[in-house]
Amino acid sequence: LAKTTQPISMDSYEGQEVNITCSHNNIATNDYITWYQQFPSQGPRFIIQGYKTKVTNEVASLFIPADRKSSTLSLPRVSLSDTAVYYCLVGDKDSGAGSYQLTFGKGTKLSVIP
Amino acid sequence: SQTIHQWPATLVQPVGSPLSLECTVEGTSNPNLYWYRQAAGRGLQLLFYSVGIGQISSEVPQNLSASRPQDRQFILSSKKLLLSDSGFYLCAWRLAGPYNEQFFGPGTRLTVL
């Protein structure tokens, strides 16, 4: 699996757009990029997934440049409730028999300030 | 719709006592099931996963064990808890295959004293 590097923490004011960039220089051809969000004392929740260019859903946008060596999660107009840890995951470990494993790093702790 | 349940929500246990955490999934069949642990201020560590009844794979050797007696039931156990077993335990499920969304339960906060 490709190693990912993302900032340990970020601060943002309410109403601003937040961009969290993840580096994955060794991404494989078949790897997708997935982002999860984790609130305190809760399990992670899927946010968005993409392979290349741009993906947008009701929660966020994911920008992936042509070389796919990085990706940027964009959260529009954040609110206090967006304070959470955001994980960038690349690839999906094949454990055999149809089982795949997500590999979580330490994530980026986003703190939204009033 | 699918739901995942974990209990208890919180647990305080003395060192050396046994442990049993239960996870059940509703609304899906033959899911892959996972147990994770998250120590305070740290990332998620995969402990066990299961692709079917009675099939358990361990990722990290430790004094914990897991069992899957039914298709949608996953149990995490220990015969004797250690202080280092304290943490936030999360159960998760997903359908077999790559890049399927993984759904996490509400978690159990375990404190070993």
Side-chain angles (χ1 to χ4, degrees):
Chain A
L1 293 177
K3 180 181 177 181
T4 59
T5 303
Q6 40 181 141
I8 295 175
S9 64
M10 293 180 67
D11 293 337
S12 175
Y13 288 101
E14 273 191 295
Q16 289 187 329
E17 178 184 72
V18 171
N19 295 311
I20 305 175
T21 297
C22 178
S23 298
H24 28 81
N25 291 319
N26 297 322
I27 188 169
T29 303
N30 296 331
D31 285 343
Y32 277 72
I33 301 158
T34 312
W35 286 79
Y36 277 74
Q37 173 192 55
Q38 184 180 24
F39 295 115
S41 297
Q42 294 186 26
R45 182 182 69 164
F46 173 92
I47 302 176
I48 198 166
Q49 184 180 89
Y51 183 79
K52 63 180 179 180
T53 64
K54 177 183 175 182
V55 179
T56 297
N57 61 22
E58 65 278 6
V59 176
S61 295
L62 179 60
F63 298 92
I64 305 169
D67 66 5
R68 302 198 332 118
K69 292 184 183 299
S70 67
S71 58
T72 299
L73 176 72
S74 181
L75 305 172
R77 296 181 298 281
V78 294
S79 63
L80 295 177
S81 62
D82 293 315
T83 294
V85 177
Y86 293 82
Y87 297 95
C88 167
L89 294 84
V90 173
D92 205 350
K93 181 180 177 183
D94 185 354
S95 301
S99 176
Y100 286 80
Q101 299 176 26
L102 298 175
T103 302
F104 287 86
K106 295 184 178 179
T108 297
K109 184 176 182 180
L110 172 66
S111 298
V112 180
I113 306 165
Chain B
S1 63
Q2 302 90 0
T3 55
I4 179 169
H5 304 279
Q6 280 187 249
W7 65 91
T10 60
L11 192 59
V12 179
Q13 292 284 97
V15 169
S17 64
L19 173 73
S20 181
L21 302 181
E22 188 162 344
C23 170
T24 59
V25 181
E26 296 177 357
T28 189
S29 296
N30 197 30
N32 288 342
L33 297 173
Y34 305 83
W35 277 112
Y36 290 84
R37 176 172 60 202
Q38 189 170 33
R42 305 186 69 176
L44 281 83
Q45 179 186 38
L46 179 63
L47 302 176
F48 300 95
Y49 66 91
S50 171
V51 299
I53 296 174
Q55 300 179 63
I56 308 295
S57 296
S58 174
E59 283 293 296
V60 181
Q62 56 214 310
N63 69 318
L64 299 172
S65 62
S67 62
R68 185 171 177 174
Q70 300 180 40
D71 181 44
R72 289 169 289 177
Q73 184 184 29
F74 207 22
I75 298 171
L76 183 70
S77 304
S78 174
K79 292 182 179 178
K80 289 185 178 182
L81 284 169
L82 306 173
L83 288 174
S84 58
D85 291 324
S86 293
F88 189 45
Y89 288 82
L90 288 159
C91 179
W93 76 271
R94 60 185 284 184
L95 294 175
Y99 298 111
N100 288 321
E101 183 176 346
Q102 188 155 312
F103 299 89
F104 287 81
T108 295
R109 177 77 59 189
L110 172 66
T111 303
V112 183
L113 302 175

